Each structure stands twice: as structure tokens, then as C-alpha cells.
Amino acid sequence: MDRLNTERLKSPAPSGNQEAPADVLSIKGLHAWYGESHILHGVEVRAARGEVVTLLGRNGSGRSTTLKSIMGLTDARRGSICVNGRETIGMPPQGVARLGVGYCPEERGIFAGLSCEENLLLPPRLPVSNATGMSLEEIYEIFPNLAERRASQGTRLSGGEQQMLAIARILRTGANLLLLDEISEGLAPVIVQTLARVIRLLKSRGFTVLLVEQNFRFAAPLADRFYVMEHGQIVETFDASLLAAKTGVLQELLNV
Ligand SMILES: Nc1ncnc2c1ncn2[C@@H]1O[C@H](COP(=O)(O)OP(=O)(O)O)[C@@H](O)[C@H]1O
Ligand SMILES: [Mg+2]
């Protein structure tokens, strides 16, 4: 329950919308399996509109599995995953995507035989009422490198260009919740800086981002809230305001 405080009593309610906006993503008691392997054990993560939240952890801690579970890509799952107010735990992956979830997997999934622009145009636009996908022009404005490389084959793109393309592709669909798996991995510092600028821009436009990272330096200045995973469980959750106080704990959990 929201606690009333003096600050809130003083500030006028936003016109036409007196309720605080519901979370875009709300995960409660999530368990997930690959075959017989029980990987996630009661994961809890939430994100409101325009928030960037990061899921940190060592390799094998269950971060990618959390993103796959949201998409319905694990073998079995139990618990609750609400997306834009809808329970998705029983939905197939395409049903989850249609609610406005854009998933950028670790392996990026760029089609080698298609050009940059063909890759961009591949995913269908979503029938999400409160979101419209970006046009190619808007995307090329955000990623000028992709505009230059629009006719290049997927195989000819650098790692950084492929990563930008993988992100750009989900922006075209109209997704408002972005699940990004280790997007900074293996990329040159200048590209990582570009990606950080893009995340900030998307946040300012009201996108909600769940950023799975190993790269703490990349995630730290971007995130509104931090989640740390270990053995398929969230072992630490804190807001950005507590980051300095939590540095010691993080060092222990992440070896940063
Ligand atoms: N397809 C799979 N089948 C069985 N086990 C898997 C599969 N994918 C990942 N795992 C296991 O699930 C655990 C969590 O993996 P993952 O979510 O990929 O971790 P992270 O992304 O944090 O590195 C690891 O123990 C990993 O070995
Ligand atoms: Mg992973």
C-alpha cells in the first residue's frame, strides 16, 4: 500500500489520472525450469514506466533465464509475471510479445544473409494501443551508424553494429518494455558509451528497461533500481540512492 506523506498531500493530483501508474512489469514468486532443472526460485522484480532496472549477478546466476521466463521461453514456469497489467504466466511467447515486450537475447539473432535494413524491417509491428513503433527515420536518427550501414549484409556488421541493430529492431515493433541481455558484452568502450546514451534517451521517452548486465560500470549510472541474483534468487534489491552504501556488498556478490 502507498503511504501518504506530506509531500504527496501538498502536490496536486495529475489531471485526469489520480492513480499512480501501475508497474509495467511485476514479477512475483517466479520459479522456472529447463527440463528437470529447477533454475529460478521465487524471483521478484518490478519496474514502473520509464524506469531502468538492472539485474546483476555472476555467470550462471539465472539472469538470462529470468528474461527467458518473462518471454515464456523456458520449459516450465510458476508464479506471476504481469506485463502492462496483464498476467502472462500462461501465455505463449508471441502473446507476451504482443503485450509490448521486446526481447534482445544475448546472441542478438541478426540474420546473416539479410541486410541491416531488412533485419530492421523483419519483426512485425505490435497491436499495442498505447505504443506506436518507431519509424525507420527515427531509428536512424538514434543510430546514425545503422543509417550508414543500411545496405550492408548482417555478416558484414561489426559486433557493435549488430548490437545496435538488435536493439533498434525491437524499437520498431512498438514494444514499451525492453529486456536487454548483456548488451555491453565484448564491445569497445566508445560503443558502450553510445549504448548508454541510447538507454538514457529511451528512458526519457518513457520506455521501461530491464537491463541484464555483468558490466557493473555500464549499468550503475543508468539504473533506478538494482537487483542482484545468486543461484536463481534475488539476494539484494536497492534503489540508486543507496548505491554508494551498497558498494561493499556488491563487490562481494559480483567481484567488481
Ligand atoms: N537451456 C538450458 N538447459 C539447462 N540448463 C540451463 C540452460 N540454460 C541455462 N541453464 C542453467 O541455468 C543456470 C542459469 O543460467 P543463466 O540464466 O543463463 O545465467 P546468467 O544469464 O546469469 O549467466 C545455469 O546453471 C545454467 O547452467
Ligand atoms: Mg546470461
Side-chain angles (χ1 to χ4, degrees):
M1 276 296 270
D2 274 342
R3 198 158 41 94
L4 279 178
N5 57 36
T6 45
E7 211 43 55
R8 247 178 103 176
L9 286 172
K10 269 185 278 175
S11 56
S15 57
N17 177 17
Q18 267 123 0
E19 295 287 308
D23 284 340
V24 170
L25 176 69
S26 171
I27 305 178
K28 289 182 181 149
L30 175 65
H31 291 251
W33 290 259
Y34 294 117
E36 299 283 294
S37 306
H38 188 173
I39 307 292
L40 299 185
H41 304 266
V43 169
E44 315 253 330
V45 172
R46 54 164 289 268
R49 182 173 186 272
E51 278 191 324
V52 175
V53 303
T54 189
L55 196 50
L56 302 166
R58 294 199 182 100
N59 267 329
S61 56
R63 296 160 304 149
S64 295
T65 304
T66 301
L67 298 191
K68 285 181 187 150
S69 300
I70 297 169
M71 292 312 295
L73 295 168
T74 54
D75 289 333
R77 19 174 220 168
R78 207 181 69 210
S80 171
I81 305 174
C82 283
V83 172
N84 290 316
R86 293 272 307 273
E87 180 57 67
T88 66
I89 203 77
M91 285 187 192
Q94 61 274 24
V96 179
R98 264 189 233 116
L99 291 178
V101 189
Y103 172 47
C104 192
E106 224 168 340
E107 61 277 8
R108 297 174 189 150
I110 302 303
F111 289 89
L114 298 181
S115 73
C116 175
E117 189 156 298
E118 285 165 342
N119 266 284
L120 214 42
L121 294 173
L122 209 56
R125 296 211 163 196
L126 300 171
V128 186
S129 56
N130 62 348
T132 43
M134 286 188 196
S135 65
L136 278 182
E137 289 68 34
E138 284 175 288
I139 285 173
Y140 287 145
E141 211 173 291
I142 297 174
F143 299 101
N145 312 46
L146 295 183
E148 280 169 37
R149 304 286 270 143
R150 67 208 296 166
S152 303
Q153 292 292 112
T155 38
R156 305 233 165 207
L157 301 175
S158 69
E161 288 164 346
Q162 287 186 29
Q163 187 61 73
M164 290 181 204
L165 177 53
I167 299 169
R169 201 162 55 173
I170 56 179
L171 299 179
R172 222 194 125 261
T173 64
N176 68 345
L177 169 60
L178 311 178
L179 312 179
L180 308 181
D181 202 345
E182 305 236 29
I183 55 170
S184 72
E185 195 184 16
L187 300 180
V190 60
I191 307 286
V192 175
Q193 279 169 25
T194 302
L195 294 178
R197 277 201 300 276
V198 169
I199 302 288
R200 284 206 181 85
L201 175 81
L202 295 174
K203 175 180 166 62
S204 74
R205 293 200 188 176
F207 285 87
T208 303
V209 181
L210 177 49
L211 198 61
V212 159
E213 272 301 327
Q214 187 90 29
N215 186 346
F216 175 72
R217 283 166 189 278
F218 171 65
L222 298 172
D224 295 301
R225 192 163 43 261
F226 295 76
Y227 294 90
V228 184
M229 283 197 98
E230 208 170 52
H231 306 302
Q233 283 179 309
I234 304 289
V235 292
E236 273 288 334
T237 305
F238 56 90
D239 287 342
S241 58
L242 289 176
L243 183 58
K246 291 287 185 179
T247 305
V249 181
L250 280 177
Q251 270 169 351
E252 215 168 284
L253 288 167
L254 306 170
N255 304 331
V256 289

